[in-house]
Structure formats: C-alpha cells, structure tokens
Amino acid sequence: MTVQHPLSGQSVLIAGASGGLGTALAVELARRGATLTLVARDVDRLAAVPVDAQRVALDLRVPDACARAVEATIAHAGRLDVVVNAVGVVAFGNVADLSIDAMEELFLTNTFVPIMLANAAIGRIEPRGAIVNISGVIAEQNLPGMAAYGASKAAVRSFDEALGREARRTKIRVLDARPGHTETGLADHPIEGASPKMPEGMAPAHVATVICDALEAGTNDLPSSAFT
C-alpha cells in the first residue's frame, strides 16, 4: 500500500543540504515526495546528495544570497512551501580562548543566516507553509566550553519564538527543532578548538524523520525530548 504524505508535491528549500543532517533531511523529504531545491556552498558535496533535486551553490552568509535561493526555488518548482535551515558551524573552547573571528563566524552562520533566510522567504512562502530552524538541545541548556556556540543557537530559538507569532498573520508556521547530539560530523570539523569527548549521538536519519513527521503533523515546537 502506497502512503500519500502531506509533504508530497510540496516545494522545499533546504539550506545547508550538503551537511550530515541536511543530507538526511533531503533523503527523507524526497522519500515523502517533496520537490527539492538544495543549497550549500560546496559544489562537489552538493552534487553528492543522493536525491533528485535542483542544486544551487550559494554562500548564504552573503546578504543577497538568501533572496537568490528563494527565487531559485520558486523558478524551479513554481512555488515555495517549506524552508528548512540546516546551516551551522561549531567552535569549542572557553570564551577567554576564542578568537573574535570565531565568535563572529558563529553568529553570522548560526544566527544571521536563519534570520536573513526568513526575511527573504516570509513573503514568498505559500499560506500554510513552514519555516524550520534547528537550534538544537544546546538552546535549552548551554554548556561550558561551548558558550558562544550555545548562545548563537539560543538566539535562533528566541528568534523562532517571536517569528512564529509574526508569521501567524500570513498563515506560516515556524518550527524550532532542538535535537540532541547527532552524528552529523559537525563536531569533527570545528572552526576553532577541539571537540570534547562526546557520547555516541543520534542517527541523522532518525532526527530527519522526527522533523518531517512534525512538519506533516502541524507541530510548532520540537524540544529535545521529542527525539528520544
């Protein structure tokens, strides 16, 4: 028996699609029949995502790039229904040891990109569409040695809370997802510092499934407890 998913035929823009979680989300959304536009910086890694999709190589930290991603999605699919932001970088180390460059990069990528992408998309998303941001469990409780990173993600959670209220007027849903540590490979490639020893994280495919289930169910908030 073939299952007809609510996401079938929906036009979905995935930012950060070449990362571990972005790729898992692309695979799961494709399985549910979504029409995908994938955005990431690295052309080769973007090409390796194993789904049928339009692929757009953009650095979303550049101010007009988010608008270009939105327009590319609409040109490809004729509409925009869902934006999923899986862009992110991490840095480790006490605040006293972090460089200003690392602090700026954390907030530019983790905080400003979601805000700029929402700014570009909010007037273009179809009614009953959605914006998904992944702030992560650290937005619920910050940790020493990750204070600046945690603050950049907590800012996203705060932004989502207010954006959700604003977006209701245009019938757009904002979903803040806060999965626990996930084996995406991000911790192995910090922009600064070295990753502490961590317990084994969740599988990206599991996290992607929970997020997509929440999208189809009309959920507005996904706390870390929803992923266990």
Side-chain angles (χ1 to χ4, degrees):
M1 179 179 176
T2 302
V3 176
Q4 183 67 26
H5 287 282
L7 284 165
S8 179
Q10 296 279 285
S11 170
V12 182
L13 165 60
I14 305 177
S18 66
L21 185 52
T23 295
L25 283 161
V27 170
E28 182 61 23
L29 285 161
R31 186 184 73 81
R32 298 180 190 225
T35 299
L36 301 179
T37 298
L38 310 182
V39 177
R41 285 185 287 173
D42 190 298
V43 174
D44 292 336
R45 290 180 63 195
L46 194 56
V49 180
V51 296
D52 181 18
Q54 174 180 231
R55 299 160 205 269
V56 184
L58 287 171
D59 184 347
L60 294 176
R61 299 171 301 177
V62 177
D64 68 341
C66 290
R68 288 164 58 195
V70 168
E71 294 307 321
T73 304
I74 295 171
H76 170 59
R79 58 189 286 139
L80 174 60
D81 297 292
V82 179
V83 173
V84 179
N85 177 35
V87 173
V89 294
V90 67
F92 299 105
N94 293 334
V95 171
D97 300 322
L98 278 183
S99 69
I100 297 299
D101 285 347
M103 295 178 197
E104 289 179 342
E105 177 61 19
L106 285 170
F107 278 85
L108 177 59
T109 303
N110 294 346
T111 309
F112 289 176
V113 167
I115 294 172
M116 291 189 294
L117 193 55
N119 173 263
I122 200 72
R124 310 303 305 278
I125 298 177
E126 296 292 322
R128 293 175 295 281
I131 294 173
V132 181
N133 285 320
I134 302 163
S135 59
V137 65
I138 199 162
E140 297 178 349
Q141 183 176 13
N142 208 344
L143 297 171
M146 300 177 70
Y149 168 72
S152 73
K153 301 299 274 186
V156 175
R157 183 184 180 188
S158 178
F159 171 71
D160 287 344
E161 182 180 12
L163 178 64
R165 293 171 183 165
E166 292 179 8
R168 286 191 200 123
R169 293 194 290 269
T170 52
K171 297 183 172 61
I172 305 302
R173 180 162 48 100
V174 177
L175 173 59
D176 185 85
R178 301 186 295 281
H181 173 53
T182 305
E183 295 294 338
T184 64
L186 181 66
D188 298 327
H189 301 92
I191 60 172
E192 196 166 284
S195 172
K197 185 174 178 58
M198 294 183 178
E200 184 176 356
M202 293 181 289
H206 166 69
V207 173
T209 297
V210 174
I211 291 172
C212 290
D213 285 347
L215 261 176
E216 293 190 328
T219 304
N220 292 310
D221 189 66
L222 267 180
S224 56
S225 59
F227 293 87
T228 58

